[in-house]
Amino acid sequence: MVSSLRTHLHAHYPPPWFSVAPMMEWTDNHYRTLARLISKNAWLYTEMLAAETIVYQKDNLDRFLEYSPEQHPIVLQIGGNNLENLAKATELAEPYKYDEINFNCGCPSPRVAGHGCFGARLMLDPKFVAEAMSVIAAHTDAPVSVKCRIGVDDHDSYNELCDFIYKVSSQSPTRHFIIHSRKALLNGISPAENRSIPPLKYKYFYGLLRDFPDLRFTINGGINTVDEVNAARRAGAHGVMVGRAAFQKPWHTLGHVDTAIYGAPSSGVTRRQILEKFQVYGDSAVGKYGRKPTVRDVARPLLGLFHSEPGNGVWKRKADAAFLHCTTMKSFFEETLVAIPDHVLDSPIGEPSSGGEDPFANIHTLLPPAYESREQELLYA
């Protein structure tokens, strides 16, 4: 049974002012369960799922697509380069009622971009991306979106980025683009280096806001704190997507989202309360598919929960030891949480740190020249 079916399609969720980036092997069900226990408003994304995986696992879909109703609002990210499989995958995912379907045109991993024109390499073929988005939209009732970079290799001018946005948006129902504000280098550097070596060009993102006022844009890349999220939004971003900071420091990042970004009153929730609820989830998840997932798999997202707190180092060492023999989350917590002082476990989130430099303070003085579309040439290219 699909546990995540909604009773109605158009549920009212907060706007996607803050979202957690799709990260392969990181934003799985276990992480998303933790994230939702910390923040009620953040938009969550799945790991990227290849369309082929969904199609070939059609008799085992819950393992890949199931999630709890509490995870709404949640976005499914899919990848692929075969229109038939994209159509089938979207159709198979439809009963799970994700709140948006996102198409990956930004991943620079050789496992993705180098495998049959997939991921970031698709930015070089906007006509195909438009076709793919039309196919995806035709097989779902959910909105659709594209996640991309600002360019690929030497195809990195602002005009080329605008050409991509123009062509995809004018030839498909796509009205939301998540822009990672670095280009992708597809040869010679690793995915990790692709997150740091190509320079951030936020001016390209804000140029898109000016030149495509009828579209929605979410900014991604190099943004790690709620202060920076709010600064990006003050500068005009419709939404902000945060990646590794939300995984590596979930308490200090997600813990401020509801209050500092969405203006909600503090819930007063503590890490002890979160872990009590996570234990119930974890013990129902361990071994659900035979030997998988293990306690290590389920507990992995917790390893940043006490970042920079007293006892964090001892907690991680105890966790490494416990992974070798613990078979339940209950026994894992009994063995490890003794390392964390009570005042850490029982204190609600404090005030967010502030006073950092605003990376968007003067962004509107740095914008590239306005885009002039080559409409006829682009439509028929």
Side-chain angles (χ1 to χ4, degrees):
M1 177 181 176
V2 178
S3 68
S4 50
L5 282 174
R6 295 204 304 268
T7 56
H8 57 288
L9 259 177
H10 302 291
H12 295 289
Y13 297 117
W17 293 340
F18 180 98
S19 55
V20 178
M23 293 176 282
M24 291 174 70
E25 299 179 358
W26 285 25
T27 50
D28 55 18
N29 226 334
H30 317 313
Y31 171 77
R32 298 193 310 266
T33 297
L34 173 67
R36 184 57 75 223
L37 289 171
I38 301 174
S39 169
K40 303 304 180 190
N41 295 302
W43 281 62
L44 305 178
Y45 278 63
T46 67
E47 305 171 84
M48 188 202 71
L49 273 174
E52 285 71 20
T53 299
I54 298 173
V55 172
Y56 298 152
Q57 295 285 343
K58 63 180 184 295
D59 297 324
N60 193 27
L61 287 178
D62 279 1
R63 184 167 186 172
F64 297 91
L65 295 173
E66 187 179 38
Y67 59 93
S68 67
E70 291 77 20
Q71 286 185 35
H72 288 291
I74 181 171
V75 180
L76 170 65
Q77 188 186 64
I78 61 176
N81 66 343
N82 179 288
L83 293 177
E84 184 179 353
N85 281 337
L86 288 168
K88 289 179 181 176
T90 306
E91 192 170 2
L92 289 166
E94 182 63 6
Y96 292 84
K97 299 303 175 192
Y98 283 89
D99 299 299
E100 186 169 303
I101 308 296
N102 179 261
F103 186 49
N104 182 320
C105 295
C107 184
S109 169
R111 289 187 298 164
V112 174
H115 185 67
C117 188
F118 192 162
R121 195 177 296 276
L122 290 174
M123 287 194 72
L124 303 177
D125 191 357
K127 183 179 179 182
F128 172 81
V129 175
E131 292 173 348
M133 296 309 295
S134 295
V135 163
I136 292 168
H139 290 84
T140 181
D141 290 325
V144 296
S145 61
V146 165
K147 187 172 189 292
C148 63
R149 293 280 182 132
I150 59 170
V152 177
D153 294 333
D154 294 331
H155 299 275
D156 60 354
S157 71
Y158 178 67
N159 260 23
E160 286 172 294
L161 172 61
C162 288
D163 286 348
F164 175 83
I165 300 294
Y166 176 80
K167 194 159 194 176
V168 173
S169 63
S170 62
Q171 296 189 355
S172 80
T174 311
R175 294 294 173 267
H176 181 201
F177 291 83
I178 298 102
I179 308 293
H180 186 137
S181 301
R182 290 183 173 94
K183 72 174 181 178
L185 296 171
L186 298 185
N187 296 307
I189 68 172
S190 69
E193 291 169 325
N194 253 299
R195 294 191 295 271
S196 58
I197 291 177
L200 287 161
K201 292 187 178 180
Y202 293 137
K203 61 185 180 181
Y204 279 21
F205 175 85
Y206 286 95
L208 294 176
L209 290 176
R210 174 198 63 197
D211 291 333
F212 296 91
D214 296 332
L215 302 178
R216 283 196 304 120
F217 292 98
T218 293
I219 191 170
N220 174 226
I223 300 172
N224 297 308
T225 67
V226 292
D227 261 9
E228 292 170 348
V229 171
N230 282 330
R233 291 190 57 241
R234 283 195 302 271
H238 300 130
V240 183
M241 177 176 280
V242 173
R244 275 150 182 79
F247 185 92
Q248 294 168 342
K249 298 184 288 184
W251 181 248
H252 295 293
T253 305
L254 297 173
H256 297 298
V257 166
D258 293 352
T259 53
I261 296 172
Y262 287 92
S266 174
S267 68
V269 70
T270 68
R271 279 173 278 196
R272 190 189 302 274
Q273 292 167 334
I274 285 169
L275 291 175
E276 286 170 354
K277 292 179 179 178
F278 191 88
Q279 179 182 311
V280 175
Y281 160 77
D283 279 332
S284 71
V286 169
K288 187 173 183 178
Y289 301 103
R291 294 184 178 180
K292 287 284 192 175
T294 63
V295 167
R296 182 190 294 271
D297 297 328
V298 174
R300 185 174 177 236
L302 302 174
L303 295 180
L305 192 61
F306 301 107
H307 177 83
S308 76
E309 299 283 11
N312 182 53
V314 177
W315 142 258
K316 286 187 172 181
R317 289 193 292 275
K318 284 183 173 293
D320 282 340
F323 288 149
L324 298 176
H325 59 267
C326 284
T327 57
T328 66
M329 290 302 298
K330 184 175 186 293
S331 62
F332 172 78
F333 285 139
E334 287 172 349
E335 189 165 319
T336 60
L337 286 181
V338 293
I340 304 297
D342 285 345
H343 77 270
V344 173
L345 284 166
D346 294 322
S347 297
I349 189 75
E351 292 297 315
S353 57
S354 58
E357 184 178 344
D358 181 351
F360 309 102
N362 301 307
I363 196 67
H364 292 287
T365 68
L366 305 172
L367 301 188
Y371 174 60
E372 296 180 9
S373 71
R374 300 168 288 128
E375 186 169 353
Q376 293 303 314
E377 178 184 344
L378 287 169
L379 288 177
Y380 297 104

